[in-house]
Amino acid sequence: GCPQLQSVSCFGCIELTDTAVTALAEGCSGLESVSFGDCFGLTDAAVIALAERCPRLKRVDFTGCVELTDAAVTTLTEQCPELVSARFSGCTKLTQAARVVFGLNGERIS
């Protein structure tokens, strides 16, 4: 693993899987910034794995990850207290409730 790795960008990796992101999270618990925009195959399982194994996340970008639901957002807010920026634009399955969760916790969601 790479416990000291702090940032990863896989923007546009359309074949990236939940299994790969889970393995990354398991080996790289020091991640603070991740970008998985337009990784269309990712589901809540990938986000939940990151949230549970990488509690120091500060910035996340899941723009265009159309399979994500409110469960992913809720887990991020619960498991990552240092989160200050989260991008979920184009995540069409998110409801207003997910945006409210971020607003109540003082984080930003776009």
Side-chain angles (χ1 to χ4, degrees):
C2 304
Q4 295 180 358
L5 185 66
Q6 294 181 340
S7 180
V8 167
S9 177
C10 294
F11 196 93
C13 296
I14 59 174
E15 295 186 24
L16 191 66
T17 65
D18 290 342
T19 303
V21 173
T22 298
L24 175 73
E26 288 173 353
C28 305
S29 60
L31 285 171
E32 295 179 5
S33 176
V34 297
S35 175
F36 293 108
D38 292 341
C39 296
F40 305 119
L42 296 185
T43 70
D44 290 349
V47 179
I48 290 168
L50 282 165
E52 290 177 345
R53 293 172 177 89
C54 304
R56 290 184 278 193
L57 282 172
K58 294 181 174 120
R59 301 184 185 290
V60 298
D61 184 350
F62 293 101
T63 301
C65 294
V66 296
E67 296 301 319
L68 300 184
T69 71
D70 292 2
V73 173
T74 301
T75 303
L76 275 171
T77 60
E78 291 171 351
Q79 301 293 322
C80 303
E82 297 179 38
L83 193 63
V84 294
S85 177
R87 302 190 73 178
F88 289 96
S89 37
C91 297
T92 54
K93 292 185 179 181
L94 293 183
T95 69
Q96 187 61 30
R99 298 178 193 289
V100 169
V101 167
F102 267 85
L104 292 176
N105 289 322
E107 290 99 7
R108 296 179 299 149
I109 185 171
S110 60

